[in-house]
Amino acid sequence: MRQRNWRLIAVGTVLLVLAMLFFLSMRDMTAWSNDPIALMRAVGEVSGGVGGISLVMIVFGLIGRKAPA
């Protein structure tokens, strides 16, 4: 039987929410940007990277580790 790592799941979930909030909040900043396409490209890369790392953390937390015998 494997034990889930709830701390890893919680941190991954928080990072995923922060990545989504960052993307949505920066979307409103494009009105004041000189180059909105480049801004959203950079924001998308950063939030996508953080979102990908958080999904990996959630998956590894759900897989868990072996329970002590």
Side-chain angles (χ1 to χ4, degrees):
M1 188 72 178
R2 294 178 107 36
Q3 291 179 343
R4 290 191 173 139
N5 192 345
W6 291 106
R7 290 181 187 166
L8 204 58
I9 295 169
V11 170
T13 305
V14 168
L15 280 177
L16 186 62
V17 169
L18 286 176
M20 289 189 303
L21 287 175
F22 176 68
F23 182 79
L24 293 176
S25 66
M26 289 301 287
R27 189 178 59 170
D28 298 334
M29 300 286 282
T30 58
W32 299 289
S33 175
N34 290 334
D35 192 0
I37 295 172
L39 173 71
M40 286 311 292
R41 187 173 290 142
V43 168
E45 285 182 16
V46 170
S47 61
V50 172
I53 290 170
S54 67
L55 287 176
V56 170
M57 290 175 71
I58 291 170
V59 167
F60 279 136
L62 288 174
I63 291 173
R65 58 181 170 214
K66 286 185 180 179

